[in-house]
Amino acid sequence: MKISKNMQKALNDQITLEANASSNYLAMASWCEITGYEGSANFFYAQSDEERTHLLKIVHYLNNLGIAAVIPATKSPASNFKSLESILKTALKNEQAVTAAIHKMVEISQKDKDHSTYAFLEWFVNEQVQEETKFETLIQKFELIGRDKIAINEIDKILAANATYAAADATV
Ligand code: FEO
């Protein structure tokens, strides 16, 4: 089975995006850990692992088609964050960029009449809906609970509870 050069490039570019997402979340996890937000650290470590599973799905897809996947260098992630709220807002923005890239790939697959890649991408389309909703809901907590120390501690616990979901998703 053949996929277009354009599609191959888009999939390889997506590997880079997922790799950068994984290292961004790792930096966020590390900042949370050193700042004392233990639950949030667990959440972001799990999130980082999950991004790696996304990257691997694409690597395997390309390799199974006999197209060598390109393993990219990753950019150095930002590491000095302002607050837990700002991290979550950055995470949502990054996820929105990933969603846009995935939708672009879906359009390429439609244009190419590449039914295999179209079907392969369906999982990613659904995953992004969940990812964006997850971050939107977490960001809302600051309006609902507050931003003082007790509120942040509460939100940290909510992130901890979400970490298990992230880890469970990663095994799918
Ligand atoms: Fe793999 Fe969170 O996008």
Side-chain angles (χ1 to χ4, degrees), residues 18 25 47 51 54 95 98 128 131:
E18 302 288 349
Y25 285 133
Q47 193 71 34
E51 296 301 342
H54 298 173
E95 289 297 338
V98 169
Q128 284 312 116
E131 290 285 79

Side-chain angles (χ1 to χ4, degrees), residues 83-130:
S83 65
L84 186 54
E85 187 176 6
S86 74
I87 287 184
L88 288 164
K89 285 185 172 164
T90 302
L92 175 61
K93 244 199 324 201
N94 291 348
E95 289 297 338
Q96 286 165 339
V98 169
T99 302
I102 286 165
H103 289 180
K104 196 89 186 279
M105 286 196 293
V106 171
E107 285 163 25
I108 295 171
S109 72
Q110 285 170 325
K111 204 167 139 253
D112 287 352
K113 295 190 171 46
D114 176 353
H115 301 296
S116 309
T117 306
Y118 180 82
F120 169 71
L121 290 172
E122 195 184 333
W123 182 90
F124 286 88
V125 171
N126 293 328
E127 169 69 11
Q128 284 312 116
V129 174
Q130 284 178 33

Side-chain angles (χ1 to χ4, degrees), residues 39-40 43-44 84 88 138 154-163:
S40 308
F43 171 84
F44 282 112
L84 186 54
L88 288 164
L138 290 169
E154 206 48 51
I155 294 169
D156 188 52
K157 283 188 201 144
I158 294 171
L159 269 113
N162 274 272

Side-chain angles (χ1 to χ4, degrees), residues 45-75:
Y45 280 126
Q47 193 71 34
S48 174
D49 285 348
E50 193 182 327
E51 296 301 342
R52 193 159 185 282
T53 68
H54 298 173
L55 171 164
L56 283 173
K57 275 181 194 286
I58 307 169
V59 168
H60 295 320
Y61 181 69
L62 284 169
N63 287 340
N64 288 339
L65 290 176
I67 301 157
V70 179
I71 307 304
T74 51
K75 277 195 306 206

Side-chain angles (χ1 to χ4, degrees), residues 23-24 26-32 34-35 76-83 87:
S23 82
N24 282 335
L26 184 57
M28 290 170 177
S30 181
W31 183 88
C32 288
I34 202 85
T35 310
S76 227
S79 58
N80 55 336
F81 301 105
K82 244 181 29 220
S83 65
I87 287 184

